Amino acid sequence: TNAETDTDASGDSSSGAEQTQPLAASSEPEPATFDLAAELSDALSDEDPNESSRDGRLRGTEEEAFTSLFEDFKRGVSQTLDEGDYETRYDLAIAYKEMGLLEDAISAFQVCVASPSRALDSLQLMAQCQLEVGRPSDAIGHLQQALSTENLPTERRAGLNFDLGRAFAANGEVDRARTTFENVSELDPSFPGVREAVAALLEQINESSQDRLANMAADADDAFETFDDLVADAQAEQAAAQVASGQGAASEPEAAF
């Protein structure tokens, strides 16, 4: 019976060993995009916002704690990624952009411009980020660089010109914006949003014209007021001269006696 028990135990042990054997890793892993939200969620789950920081001081608000953790996270990602791992960096830039971390997205896209396969997309998306943070002149530079790419497909050229027109409009260069939107219409008359963009640009031009006319009218009013003041001053001086001349003429006969 003891032998049977030993045999059963040995059998169970062998079976358990087989069940806990790790699966062999695949030699060709499936490519996966960088999931920033998941990575941050894992990092946050391991971090207590009320924990003391490395220098022993308590962390401040929850927002400050997140900012500190996120900076640590970015440094860790930067150290982990290979210098030429442009695909992961590109996915990271996209994730930053979608989360509204536009300055971080711009920095990541800037690195990806060195990738032949991601340069064009990185320039355009970086320009869109620059527009959102209020730097249209930088966006113009990125888009013009993208448009200098040789053998651009028509649909890509139309999209780049559309963003370039938006950048010109945001930079106050309405004439260049209008010309650029016209180029988009010629390349693709049905390009989404181009009609609305042109309508908004025309409204911007009308408002600018009205402001100019109002300023001109105000300047004219000021000029007329100034002219009226000059006339009034001249008339006053002339009247004073006449009065002085009359008083002088009246006093001359008395001087003769």
Side-chain angles (χ1 to χ4, degrees):
T1 302
N2 290 338
E4 289 175 0
T5 303
D6 292 340
T7 303
D8 290 341
S10 174
D12 290 342
S13 175
S14 173
S15 174
E18 290 175 359
Q19 290 175 1
T20 57
Q21 176 129 9
L23 296 174
S26 172
S27 59
E28 299 270 342
E30 291 292 328
T33 58
F34 190 89
D35 191 343
L36 178 61
E39 294 289 338
L40 280 175
S41 178
D42 291 342
L44 286 170
S45 65
D46 295 335
E47 183 78 9
D48 183 359
N50 297 318
E51 253 185 14
S52 297
S53 59
R54 291 187 182 87
D55 59 4
R57 292 175 300 179
L58 289 176
R59 296 186 186 274
T61 64
E62 190 172 318
E63 182 179 354
E64 290 171 346
F66 177 82
T67 301
S68 175
L69 176 61
F70 186 61
E71 291 301 320
D72 290 341
F73 169 79
K74 287 193 295 182
R75 280 193 293 271
V77 169
S78 179
Q79 294 169 1
T80 302
L81 294 179
D82 293 334
E83 185 176 346
D85 190 358
Y86 295 117
E87 287 303 311
T88 303
R89 290 182 185 276
Y90 180 79
D91 291 337
L92 181 62
I94 294 289
Y96 284 149
K97 185 175 184 293
E98 290 176 350
M99 292 181 67
L101 304 170
L102 299 177
E103 296 293 354
D104 294 301
I106 289 169
S107 298
F109 282 130
Q110 185 67 62
V111 175
C112 296
V113 171
S115 168
S117 62
R118 289 300 187 185
L120 189 61
D121 291 334
S122 296
L123 285 168
Q124 184 169 13
L125 292 171
M126 185 162 51
Q128 292 175 0
C129 292
Q130 297 283 19
L131 272 175
E132 288 191 55
V133 298
R135 292 194 291 264
S137 58
D138 290 340
I140 291 169
H142 299 322
L143 292 164
Q144 288 176 332
Q145 183 180 349
L147 284 164
S148 67
T149 305
E150 294 182 356
N151 302 320
L152 270 178
T154 300
E155 59 272 13
R156 289 309 303 268
R157 188 172 293 279
L160 289 166
N161 272 288
F162 180 75
D163 284 342
L164 182 59
R166 292 171 54 224
F168 279 140
N171 206 39
E173 302 178 62
V174 292
D175 291 335
R176 299 181 75 181
R178 181 177 57 190
T179 301
T180 307
F181 285 137
E182 289 173 355
N183 291 339
V184 176
S185 297
E186 291 174 2
L187 290 166
D188 184 359
S190 60
F191 190 89
V194 69
R195 291 186 178 180
E196 292 80 0
V198 171
L201 181 64
L202 291 175
E203 183 177 351
Q204 181 179 345
I205 293 172
N206 289 336
E207 289 177 356
S208 178
S209 298
Q210 290 174 359
D211 289 341
R212 273 202 306 270
L213 289 173
N215 290 334
M216 290 173 62
D219 291 343
D221 288 341
D222 291 341
F224 283 129
E225 288 177 5
T226 303
F227 180 76
D228 290 341
D229 291 340
L230 289 173
V231 171
D233 290 342
Q235 289 175 340
E237 289 177 3
Q238 184 178 12
Q242 289 175 349
V243 170
S245 175
Q247 288 177 347
S251 62
E252 285 178 4
E254 294 177 3
F257 288 107

